[in-house]
Amino acid sequence: MMTMAFLSSSYREELTFPEGFGWGAATAAYQVEGGWDADGKGPNVWDTFTHQGGDRVFRNQTADVACGSYTLWGEDLKCIKQLGLTHYRFSLSWSRLLPDGTTGFINQKGIDYYNKMIDDLLANGVIPVVTLYHFDLPQHLEDQGGWKTGAIVEVFDAYAQFCFGTFGDRVKLWITINEPNTLALLAYDKGIFAPGVPNPGNRAYQTAHNMIKAHAKAWHSYDSLFRKKQNGQVSMSLFSPWVEPADPTSAADQEAAKGIMALALDLFAKPIFIDGDYPAVLKSQVAAMSKKQGYPSSRLPEFTEEEKRMIKGSADFFAIQYYTACLAKHQEYSEGELNILKDINTEVFPDPSWKVSQPGSWISVTPWSIRKLLKYIKDLYNNPVIYITENGFPQGDPAPLDDTQRWEYIRQTIQELYKVTAIHLDKVSLQLYCVWSLLDNFEWTQGYSSRFGLYKIDFEDSALPQVPYKSAMEYAKVIQSNGVKRPL
Ligand code: GAL
């Protein structure tokens, strides 16, 4: 009944997507679940980071309670059904399942929670897309060196095998690691995300290296031990901006734009989708800069031949997360400055003429750019099947329920995706689009000040009620008709 009332306003579909196109929404465990120490869950790096305070997160907020999804899953499910989602992407809290990160101790309550989510989704015809790890490394593993050490590769693989074995009879779409590129930059290079220790110019490469190997190992475990029986697909989701040269007539700025795409996306995608190795341009530039700085070898580690063979081809689809475009400009830096952007002599910034989603936001309103990014992936990565596992637009707090500006961004994005998938236009094999996010939630360092949800949450009310924004109602119509309205 609720769904019918929700869809009752008249809607005329004009741009129809290919049959079977997936329409989803995404969340992540730490951002929505709360229950940070409930029922035997172990602490993760974000629990520690937020509990330490120190003004690294807006108003020192934490996700101890967040949207309360650990106890209010039934309410989340109502939103999912009201929207009519075909897919729901969520992540497993590693330390809820394995409190110290290892399979030495398994928390049955954690298994029960995710079993219920998965079973409820399937009972309602919604396909679960499950991320194994979305920024919330178990604290115990961090204490042992975390992503900085090669030992994590085996530990992650054991966790992945445990999840495939426990949930893989029903989960057919897996993401191993969410945005390893964001994590490498924000957590380990800049140190503004948990665990919060900056180490510019070194740690991003070191942790990226281990994350790529961990992903590839888990993919091979799925391939050899589970695929035949479970018949699912496994990939890693990568963040990417779309980068344009600041001065399109400048050859140096054109190279700078390519350099940022290489650093942000190709550093991960080329090894996995092409040949097991990093882009040559980055290898040579980081090696040259490292040499000038007196390092005995490049700060960008090398894969062995055996590792290259393991990494090459270790993904069943291309999962991309896209928010915004930016400009790149060539900028010469002295070798005294250690920073991964400086390794490629580039500066990035938004075009001042672009609107921003909310004051101070890193997201410029550039829905046109998603088409360019998807064509880039199609051309460079041999026309893979692509899933957009996140795309969204934040509002400030208080966020109006009539979020017309935001819906216009999402609507225009979907209109671009129509061109991307259209058989008479780009013919990109795009099969799924997920909005970030189902619910307003804990937006990392911005706490609850940045609202990405299709549903508004009143975090001041202990019942944590969920109310649809206008975008939710409009998105439901798109899903219902498998298409989007062209503007008049
Ligand atoms: C992504 C991240 C999400 C969410 C989103 C909006 O990078 O995977 O967890 O925070 O950005 O900023």
Side-chain angles (χ1 to χ4, degrees):
M1 279 311 289
M2 183 167 74
T3 306
M4 286 316 293
F6 201 61
L7 296 169
S8 63
S9 62
S10 71
Y11 172 70
R12 192 163 60 89
E13 132 201 1
E14 293 186 2
L15 304 177
T16 306
F17 277 66
E19 207 186 317
F21 190 84
W23 300 102
T27 57
Y30 184 72
Q31 293 176 278
V32 300
E33 283 181 3
W36 78 276
D37 62 350
D39 295 341
K41 176 182 164 291
N44 62 46
V45 291
W46 273 92
D47 294 319
T48 308
F49 185 74
T50 55
H51 293 166
Q52 282 166 345
D55 291 323
R56 295 175 298 181
V57 172
F58 178 77
R59 293 192 182 150
N60 285 323
Q61 290 170 336
T62 76
D64 289 0
V65 177
C67 310
S69 297
Y70 184 61
T71 46
L72 298 172
W73 157 245
E75 299 304 306
D76 298 359
L77 182 64
K78 282 186 200 158
C79 300
I80 291 166
K81 287 166 68 176
Q82 194 174 46
L83 290 166
L85 297 182
T86 63
H87 293 67
Y88 179 56
R89 174 176 177 240
F90 64 97
S91 79
L92 307 176
S93 162
W94 187 342
S95 64
R96 193 179 294 291
L97 289 164
L98 310 180
D100 72 359
T102 74
T103 47
F105 178 70
I106 294 168
N107 181 21
Q108 184 60 40
K109 288 272 175 63
I111 298 180
D112 296 345
Y113 172 59
Y114 295 118
N115 269 340
K116 174 145 180 52
M117 282 181 75
I118 293 163
D119 291 345
D120 285 350
L121 288 169
L122 292 173
N124 285 284
V126 183
I127 297 170
V129 182
V130 177
T131 307
L132 297 177
Y133 164 61
H134 194 127
F135 298 173
D136 50 354
L137 191 70
Q139 183 61 44
H140 177 74
L141 298 181
E142 177 59 29
D143 295 342
Q144 297 183 332
W147 289 110
K148 301 186 282 293
T149 69
I152 188 99
V153 174
E154 299 292 332
V155 179
F156 182 76
D157 181 44
Y159 167 56
Q161 288 193 36
F162 160 76
C163 295
F164 299 148
T166 308
F167 307 114
D169 54 334
R170 289 151 294 151
V171 174
K172 304 299 165 191
L173 293 175
W174 294 100
I175 302 290
T176 53
I177 302 179
N178 179 74
E179 296 190 359
N181 41 2
T182 304
L183 202 59
L185 178 68
L186 298 186
Y188 298 103
D189 189 84
K190 293 181 187 271
I192 56 177
F193 271 25
V197 183
N199 188 323
N202 277 298
R203 282 280 152 75
Y205 297 135
Q206 198 184 355
T207 54
H209 200 68
N210 289 329
M211 286 191 266
I212 292 170
K213 287 197 279 186
H215 156 81
K217 191 149 182 36
W219 183 89
H220 280 281
S221 293
Y222 190 82
D223 202 45
S224 57
L225 303 173
F226 300 93
R227 188 187 298 280
K228 207 164 157 217
K229 201 155 172 222
Q230 299 185 348
N231 202 20
Q233 298 178 357
V234 182
S235 191
M236 173 193 244
S237 62
L238 297 172
F239 167 88
S240 185
W242 173 250
V243 193
E244 303 252 318
D247 174 359
T249 65
S250 151
D253 286 5
Q254 286 170 18
E255 284 311 304
K258 283 189 201 152
I260 294 294
M261 290 302 292
L263 192 61
L265 181 63
D266 306 332
L267 184 75
F268 294 81
K270 180 172 169 285
I272 293 172
F273 289 90
I274 307 279
D275 60 3
D277 202 4
Y278 294 125
V281 58
L282 290 181
K283 289 197 334 180
S284 61
Q285 290 196 5
V286 183
M289 189 61 105
S290 305
K291 196 169 173 197
K292 277 194 208 164
Q293 291 163 336
Y295 281 85
S297 58
S298 176
R299 284 177 280 107
L300 179 64
E302 281 180 27
F303 294 120
T304 64
E305 290 308 313
E306 195 187 341
E307 286 168 350
K308 286 182 196 169
R309 280 193 295 277
M310 171 180 80
I311 294 163
K312 179 182 172 183
S314 61
D316 303 315
F317 55 92
F318 202 115
I320 191 76
Q321 319 213 136
Y322 183 71
Y323 288 87
T324 196
C326 59
L327 300 180
K329 187 172 177 49
H330 177 79
Q331 170 82 44
E332 287 291 337
Y333 292 103
S334 81
E335 59 241 33
E337 298 179 83
L338 210 52
N339 175 316
I340 60 173
L341 287 184
K342 292 173 184 172
D343 279 336
I344 54 168
N345 286 321
T346 300
E347 200 190 341
V348 278
F349 47 89
D351 186 322
S353 72
W354 295 338
K355 284 190 191 145
V356 283
S357 52
Q358 67 174 110
S361 171
W362 57 279
I363 300 181
S364 301
V365 187
T366 59
W368 49 267
S369 52
I370 198 164
R371 184 176 179 197
K372 295 194 176 195
L373 175 66
L374 293 172
K375 281 170 72 181
Y376 177 89
I377 294 170
K378 178 187 177 194
D379 295 344
L380 205 61
Y381 294 105
N382 306 321
N383 195 14
V385 166
I386 302 176
Y387 296 162
I388 297 173
T389 40
E390 282 183 30
N391 170 253
F393 182 103
Q395 298 195 91
D397 175 30
L401 278 178
D402 182 353
D403 59 340
T404 304
Q405 189 206 2
R406 190 159 66 131
W407 175 247
E408 190 49 23
Y409 167 87
I410 297 175
R411 192 196 62 72
Q412 282 184 31
T413 299
I414 295 174
Q415 199 172 303
E416 291 300 310
L417 298 183
Y418 170 79
K419 298 177 199 160
V420 166
T421 53
I423 206 82
H424 59 287
L425 290 169
D426 301 349
K427 294 191 198 118
V428 171
S429 310
L430 176 68
Q431 296 187 0
L432 171 67
Y433 171 72
C434 292
V435 171
W436 180 269
S437 176
L438 179 69
L439 310 169
D440 282 347
N441 60 45
F442 179 83
E443 176 52 24
W444 308 116
T445 52
Q446 292 170 31
Y448 302 100
S449 66
S450 187
R451 306 293 184 108
F452 277 92
L454 290 167
Y455 285 76
K456 187 181 178 96
I457 305 258
D458 182 354
F459 294 101
E460 302 297 315
D461 181 336
S462 59
L464 297 164
Q466 302 163 334
V467 182
Y469 288 103
K470 174 184 170 184
S471 288
M473 295 183 265
E474 294 298 327
Y475 190 43
K477 294 176 197 168
V478 168
I479 298 170
Q480 167 87 351
S481 58
N482 194 31
V484 69
K485 211 195 275 191
R486 205 193 292 270
L488 296 170

